[in-house]
C-alpha cells in the first residue's frame, strides 16, 4: 500500500503526457486510439512458460479469473445489444492472432460475480486442474474494494495466490480495477491499486494498469463511462475492451520474448 | 492576553493560558485537506500533505483531537469533578454519533442517485453496493452499530471510540503516565504484530484500527498535558535534525511513487523494510512521519510567530475552531463537489472552482458558527447578569 493516500496523479499524467510523448514506433501507432503513455505500457517481467509453449509451437492456454468487471453483465443482451459487445477475454485470441500470426492461444473465461481474491485463491487448484493453464490473467481488487475487505488481507491473499501459481511455473498477468468517475466516488480504490502494484512488483508479475489506462482514455475523451444510451454504452465498452485485449496480447508477446 | 482572531470564539477563563492558536491553524488545514482529498480526481488534492510524505491529514486530525480533548476537558477536571467531565465527554460522543448517522444519510442519497443515473452494465460489479440496500433493515442496523461503513466514513467512528476511552486515558495519563504509555504502545504493537482489529459489516475490518490509532490520540493527549513544557529540550537540536532528515527521506520516497524511473533507484532492501505503508494499523513509518512533521512545525512556528497573525490564516483558524461541524460539512461538500465534476465538467478549471467554492462554503459556515456561538454566549451572559427577568 505504498502509494496509500497519494493524490491521483492527474497532474503527473498531464506532465508525463507533455514530457514523455508516446514514441510512435510505427506509422500505425501514431494514430492509434488505444495508445497510452509509455509508463502505463511497461512489461517488466518475462513469461517463461508462455515462451516455452510458443517455442514448441503449442497454443498457450490462458485462464481468465476475476469478477464480472472483466466481462460486463448480460444486461445489454436483454436490449438486443448483447451480441455486439465482446469483453476482453473473448478478444484476446483474435488480438494475438493479428499481432503475431501463428502464435495461438486458447482462452477459458472463469470470471464470476463477487469473486474476491480469497475466493479465487480457494478455487485455484481446481481451476488449474481443470484447464491446465499456462498463463493466468487475474483481475483483482474490484470485489475486495466493493466489499471493503481489509486491504492488508487482500494484499496477503493475492501474494499467496501468486506464490502458489509461481510454484507451479504458471505465468500471471494481473489486471487492476476499472475506472469511472462515478465508481471512484463510491469507493476508494487507490489503496487496493497500490497494494496490487506493490505485490506484483515484489513477486515479479506484470500488471495491466486498467484503471490508469481507462482514466487516460476518459481524460482524452476517447471513452465516456457515463454514457446513458445503451448503444453508446456498448460502443464505449467495446472500445475499451478491444484496447485491453490488444494490450494484453502485446504484453503476452513481449513477456514471452524476454529471457 | 487574547489574540484578536480568537476573540469571543472559545472560552478561556481569565488567568487561563493563551489559546493555542497553532492547534486551530493546523486543525483547520487538516479539515480543508480532508475535504480536498475526499474529492477523487481533484488536481488540487495534489497540494495536500499526503503527497509530500507518508502521513496525511488523518494523523493531524487524530493527534489534535487528543491534544484539544485535554485542553477542553482535562484542565477543569479538578474543579468540575470526574463524573461531570465524563458526562460532558460522552455528550460529545453522542454528537459525533449523530453526525455519523447524518453522513450515512448523505451517502445513501449519493448511492441512490448514482444507481439511478449511472446505469452502465459495464460496471455491474462495482455497483454491487446497491445490493446493500436490498435488505434495508439489516443495513440500517449495521450502520447504527457503526459496522457498515461506506467510503470516507471511517474517521468519526474512530473518534467516537477514542472519546469513549478518553476519561480513562485522561486519568491514566494524570496518575500513571508511564503505565499509560506502556499500555498504549502495547496495544499499538499488538495491532501491528497480530493484526487485531474490530470487524465491519458485511466483511472487512475498521479502516482506522482503533487499537493502533489510539497511540496517536494518546500521544496528542500527552502533548496536551505537557502543553508549554519543552521536554525534549536536552536533545532539541538533535531531535530537530533527525525529524528534518526523516521528512526529507519520506519526501524522496514519495517522489519515486510518481516515476517508474526514480522508483528503480530505491534499493530493494529499503522497499522491503518500508512497504507496505499501512494506514489501517498506522504503520510506524507513518506514525514517525507525523510526529516528525508535528515536531518540526511546532519548533519552526512558535506560538507567537508573526506569520500566524497573517490574514490568510483567519478563515483557516475559524474552520479549526468548529472541527465537527466543518468536518461533516466537508464530507458532504466533497460528495456534492465530486458529483458536480462528474455531471458538469471534470476540467482543471472545474476542479479548481469546485475546490475553492467548497472551501469558501466551509469558511462561511465557520464564521457563521463563531458568530452564533458568540451571540449565544453574550445572551446567556446577559441573562445571568440580569437574572431571569433579563431578556436579550
Amino acid at each position: 500500500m505504498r502509494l496509500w493516500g497519494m493524490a491521483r496523479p492527474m497532474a503527473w499524467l498531464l506532465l508525463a503526457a507533455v514530457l514523455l510523448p508516446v514514441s510512435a514506433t510505427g506509422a500505425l501507432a501514431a494514430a492509434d486510439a488505444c495508445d497510452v503513455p509509455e509508463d502505463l505500457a511497461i512489461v517488466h517481467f518475462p513469461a517463461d512458460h508462455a515462451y516455452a509453449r510458443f517455442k514448441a509451437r503449442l497454443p498457450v492456454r490462458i485462464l481468465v479469473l476475476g469478477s464480472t468487471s472483466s466481462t460486463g453483465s448480460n444486461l445489454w443482451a436483454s436490449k438486443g445489444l448483447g451480441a455486439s459487445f465482446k469483453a476482453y477475454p473473448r478478444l484476446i485470441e483474435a488480438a494475438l492472432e493479428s499481432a503475431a500470426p501463428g502464435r495461438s492461444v486458447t482462452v477459458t473465461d472463469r470470471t464470476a460475480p463477487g469473486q474476491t481474491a480469497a475466493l479465487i485463491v480457494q478455487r485455484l487448484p481446481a481451476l488449474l486442474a481443470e484447464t491446465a493453464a499456462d498463463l493466468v490473467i487475474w483481475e483483482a481488487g474490484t470485489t475486495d474494494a466493493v466489499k471493503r475487505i481489509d486491504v492488508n488481507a487482500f494484499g496477503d491473499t493475492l501474494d499467496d495466490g501468486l506464490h502458489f501459481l509461481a510454484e507451479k511455473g504458471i505465468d500471471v498477468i494481473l489486471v487492476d480495477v476499472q475506472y469511472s468517475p462515478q465508481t471512484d466516488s463510491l469507493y476508494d480504490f487507490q489503496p487496493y491499486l497500490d497494494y496490487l502494484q506493490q505485490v506484483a512488483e515484489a513477486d515479479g508479475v506484470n500488471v495491466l494498469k486498467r484503471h490508469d489506462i481507462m482514466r487516460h482514455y476518459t481524460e482524452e475523451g476517447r471513452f465516456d463511462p457515463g454514457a446513458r444510451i445503451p448503444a453508446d454504452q456498448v460502443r464505449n465498452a467495446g472500445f475499451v475492451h478491444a484496447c485491453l485485449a490488444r494490450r494484453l496480447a502485446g504484453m503476452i508477446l513481449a513477456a514471452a520474448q524476454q529471457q | 492576553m487574547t489574540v484578536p482572531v480568537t476573540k469571543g470564539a472559545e472560552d478561556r477563563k481569565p488567568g487561563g493560558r493563551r489559546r493555542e492558536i497553532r492547534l486551530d491553524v493546523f486543525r483547520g488545514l487538516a479539515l480543508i485537506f480532508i475535504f480536498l482529498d475526499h474529492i477523487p480526481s481533484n488536481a488540487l488534492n495534489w497540494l495536500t500533505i499526503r503527497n509530500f510524505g507518508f502521513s496525511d491529514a488523518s494523523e493531524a486530525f487524530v493527534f489534535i483531537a487528543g491534544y484539544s480533548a485535554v485542553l477542553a476537558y482535562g484542565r477543569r477536571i479538578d474543579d468540575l469533578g470526574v463524573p461531570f467531565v465524563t458526562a460532558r465527554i460522552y455528550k460529545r460522543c453522542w454528537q459525533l454519533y449523530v453526525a455519523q448517522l447524518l453522513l450515512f444519510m448523505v451517502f445513501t442519497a449519493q448511492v441512490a442517485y448514482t444507481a439511478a443515473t449511472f446505469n452502465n452494465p459495464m460496471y455491474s460489479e462495482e455497483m454491487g453496493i446497491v445490493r446493500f440496500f436490498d435488505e434495508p433493515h439489516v443495513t440500517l442496523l449495521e450502520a447504527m452499530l457503526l459496522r457498515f461503513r461506506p467510503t470516507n466514513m471511517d474517521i468519526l467512528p474512530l473518534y467516537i471510540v477514542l472519546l469513549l476511552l478518553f476519561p480513562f486515558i485522561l486519568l491514566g495519563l494524570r496518575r500513571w503516565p508511564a503505565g499509560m504509555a506502556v499500555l498504549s504502545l502495547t496495544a499499538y504493537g499488538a495491532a501491528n504484530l497480530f493484526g487485531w482489529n474490530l470487524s465491519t459489516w458485511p466483511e472487512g475490518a475498521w479502516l482506522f484500527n482503533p487499537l493502533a490509532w489510539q497511540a496517536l490520540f494518546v500521544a496528542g493527549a500527552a502533548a496536551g498535558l505537557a502543553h508549554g513544557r519543552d521536554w525534549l529540550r536536552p536533545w532539541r537540536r538533535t531531535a530537530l535534525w533527525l525529524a528534518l532528515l526523516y521528512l526529507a527521506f519520506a519526501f524522496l520516497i514519495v517522489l519515486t511513487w510518481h516515476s517508474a524511473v526514480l522508483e528503480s533507484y530505491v534499493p530493494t532492501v529499503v522497499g522491503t523494510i518500508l512497504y507496505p505503508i499501512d494506514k489501517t494499523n498506522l504503520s510506524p513509518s507513518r506514525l514517525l512521519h507525523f510526529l516528525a512533521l508535528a515536531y518540526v512545525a511546532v519548533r519552526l512556528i512558535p506560538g507567537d510567530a508573526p506569520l500566524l497573525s497573517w490574514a490568510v490564516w483567519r478563515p483557516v483558524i475559524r474552520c479549526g475552531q468548529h472541527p465537527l461541524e466543518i468536518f461533516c460539512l466537508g464530507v458532504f461538500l466533497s460528495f456534492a463537489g465530486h458529483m458536480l465534476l462528474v455531471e458538469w465538467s471534470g476540467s482543471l478549471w472545474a476542479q479548481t472552482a469546485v475546490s475553492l467554492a467548497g472551501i469558501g462554503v466551509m469558511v462561511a459556515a465557520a464564521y457563521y458558527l463563531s458568530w452564533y456561538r458568540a451571540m449565544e454566549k453574550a445572551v446567556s451572559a446577559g441573562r445571568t447578569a440580569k437574572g431571569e427577568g433579563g431578556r436579550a
Side-chain angles (χ1 to χ4, degrees):
Chain A
M1 194 161 48
R2 69 207 166 104
L3 304 187
W4 174 287
M6 131 188 179
R8 269 328 299 152
M10 214 197 72
W12 287 107
L13 280 181
L14 290 176
L15 198 68
V18 175
L19 297 179
L20 304 165
V22 181
S23 59
T25 45
L28 192 103
D32 193 331
C34 286
D35 268 352
V36 292
E38 242 171 25
D39 59 332
L40 297 182
I42 302 172
V43 178
H44 290 280
F45 306 105
D48 297 330
H49 203 71
Y51 169 78
R53 293 284 295 185
F54 280 140
K55 207 177 171 199
R57 306 235 146 239
L58 290 166
V60 171
R61 289 159 298 192
I62 297 177
L63 171 64
V64 185
L65 298 175
S67 70
T68 51
S69 84
S70 283
T71 41
S73 85
N74 50 12
L75 278 176
W76 288 317
S78 62
K79 292 172 178 138
L81 289 159
S84 53
F85 171 70
K86 279 197 176 122
Y88 73 80
R90 293 167 65 195
L91 297 167
I92 294 172
E93 274 177 60
L96 202 94
E97 179 60 33
S98 75
R103 300 199 155 174
S104 68
V105 293
T106 59
V107 178
T108 312
D109 176 7
R110 285 285 182 274
T111 57
Q115 292 291 298
T116 56
L119 283 173
I120 286 172
V121 168
Q122 200 185 327
R123 286 169 66 212
L124 261 183
L127 286 165
L128 292 178
E130 177 200 337
T131 58
D134 304 303
L135 187 149
V136 169
I137 294 175
W138 182 353
E139 178 267 316
T142 308
T143 314
D144 290 83
V146 168
K147 295 195 171 172
R148 298 204 88 196
I149 306 288
D150 174 29
V151 74
N152 296 311
F154 162 70
D156 290 345
T157 312
L158 189 64
D159 194 43
D160 289 346
L162 292 177
H163 279 288
F164 178 78
L165 288 163
E167 277 164 25
K168 304 226 167 229
I170 295 167
D171 300 323
V172 182
I173 295 178
L174 285 173
V175 178
D176 64 18
V177 305
Q178 296 196 98
Y179 167 78
S180 82
Q182 288 84 353
T183 48
D184 268 24
S185 70
L186 295 180
Y187 308 103
D188 190 6
F189 287 120
Q190 202 56 50
Y192 297 89
L193 288 165
D194 296 339
Y195 219 128
L196 181 143
Q197 191 63 34
Q198 195 234 318
V199 170
E201 265 164 42
D203 293 351
V205 169
N206 292 309
V207 180
L208 175 70
K209 297 188 170 186
R210 182 166 64 154
H211 191 264
D212 288 352
I213 289 172
M214 287 173 73
R215 174 195 290 274
H216 177 72
Y217 291 160
T218 309
E219 281 165 7
E220 295 261 298
R222 301 183 210 166
F223 166 58
D224 176 15
R228 292 189 185 171
I229 301 164
D232 287 345
Q233 292 175 341
V234 170
R235 192 165 36 75
N236 275 287
F239 163 75
V240 167
H241 278 261
C243 289
L244 293 176
R246 279 179 48 190
R247 189 143 300 285
L248 276 170
M251 288 175 80
I252 293 167
L253 290 172
Q257 276 155 12
Q258 288 182 18
Q259 274 304 289
Chain B
M1 174 192 161
T2 312
V3 178
V5 279
T6 66
K7 198 175 155 209
E10 198 53 86
D11 48 336
R12 279 290 154 263
K13 296 287 166 265
R17 263 175 279 197
R18 185 163 54 92
R19 185 174 174 88
E20 177 52 90
I21 200 75
R22 290 175 295 178
L23 273 186
D24 294 331
V25 172
F26 294 136
R27 183 162 46 198
L29 277 178
L31 289 164
I32 290 170
F33 288 167
I34 289 174
F35 160 69
L36 291 175
D37 286 343
H38 279 177
I39 305 179
S41 327
N42 180 9
L44 264 76
N45 63 27
W46 196 55
L47 298 171
T48 64
I49 52 170
R50 65 180 184 181
N51 302 298
F52 301 95
F54 302 143
S55 65
D56 63 31
S58 320
E59 272 91 351
F61 193 79
V62 171
F63 181 85
I64 295 175
Y67 201 116
S68 48
V70 163
L71 299 191
Y73 307 109
R75 292 195 168 169
R76 308 194 53 206
I77 201 162
D78 289 327
D79 47 305
L80 294 176
V82 175
F84 181 64
V85 169
T86 304
R88 265 193 169 176
I89 294 169
Y90 285 174
K91 182 186 163 197
R92 185 68 173 166
C93 283
W94 172 250
Q95 290 172 342
L96 291 167
Y97 178 72
V98 171
Q100 172 76 5
L101 294 189
L102 184 77
L103 288 181
F104 179 74
M105 283 186 66
V106 173
F107 173 83
T108 308
Q110 192 206 15
V111 169
Y113 176 82
T114 310
T117 57
F118 180 64
N119 184 25
N120 192 340
M122 198 176 166
Y123 297 92
S124 62
E125 188 80 35
E126 285 86 342
M127 291 309 292
I129 192 154
V130 175
R131 281 194 290 276
F132 286 139
F133 296 93
D134 288 349
E135 291 184 301
H137 58 294
V138 180
T139 306
L140 283 177
L141 200 63
E142 296 289 355
M144 284 160 68
L145 294 170
L146 303 180
R147 280 166 41 82
F148 177 52
R149 297 247 288 278
T151 305
N152 292 349
M153 290 187 45
D154 294 285
I155 204 161
L156 281 185
L158 170 72
Y159 198 2
I160 292 170
V161 170
L162 293 177
L163 266 193
L164 282 174
L165 294 174
F166 184 64
F168 306 99
I169 294 173
L170 189 59
L171 287 179
L173 279 175
R174 283 162 59 101
R175 302 251 169 92
W176 312 278
M180 193 63 224
V182 169
L183 189 65
S184 173
L185 285 173
T186 308
Y188 174 75
N192 271 279
L193 288 176
F194 311 122
W196 292 348
N197 196 346
L198 302 179
S199 67
T200 52
W201 179 85
E203 285 174 71
W206 284 39
L207 178 66
F208 294 96
N209 184 353
L211 212 54
W213 280 75
Q214 53 75 28
L216 196 54
F217 184 76
V218 172
L225 281 173
H227 186 67
R229 269 178 275 155
D230 191 358
W231 53 274
L232 270 176
R233 178 167 283 282
W235 312 280
R236 58 193 330 232
R237 187 173 283 271
T238 325
L240 186 63
W241 278 109
L242 282 177
L244 282 170
L245 263 177
Y246 187 68
L247 293 181
F249 164 75
F251 179 67
L252 288 177
I253 291 289
V254 170
L255 273 186
T256 70
W257 298 349
H258 301 282
S259 153
V261 182
L262 284 178
E263 180 143 43
S264 58
Y265 289 110
V266 179
T268 320
V269 65
V270 174
T272 316
I273 295 171
L274 202 55
Y275 301 138
I277 298 175
D278 183 8
K279 184 171 188 174
T280 294
N281 291 321
L282 184 64
S283 74
S285 48
R286 284 185 72 120
L287 180 60
L288 271 181
H289 184 263
F290 173 76
L291 294 177
L293 191 68
Y295 187 65
V296 169
V298 167
R299 280 291 306 280
L300 298 189
I301 309 169
D304 53 359
L307 87 100
L308 289 173
S309 53
W310 290 357
V312 67
W313 296 121
R314 264 174 234 162
V316 177
I317 289 166
R318 282 283 183 237
C319 288
Q321 285 166 347
H322 306 277
L324 178 60
E325 293 88 345
I326 300 302
F327 171 79
C328 291
L329 184 65
V331 171
F332 170 74
L333 287 171
S334 62
F335 280 148
H338 188 244
M339 210 169 276
L340 266 177
L341 291 180
V342 171
E343 297 291 326
W344 167 48
S345 157
S347 71
L348 197 60
W349 287 115
Q351 292 170 27
T352 313
V354 161
S355 301
L356 293 180
I359 295 170
V361 172
M362 287 164 74
V363 168
Y367 272 94
Y368 167 79
L369 288 167
S370 292
W371 168 79
Y372 183 79
R373 192 187 278 177
M375 287 303 286
E376 279 274 310
K377 207 156 278 170
V379 169
S380 65
R383 191 176 290 154
T384 320
K386 291 182 195 165
E388 276 307 305
R391 264 184 224 132

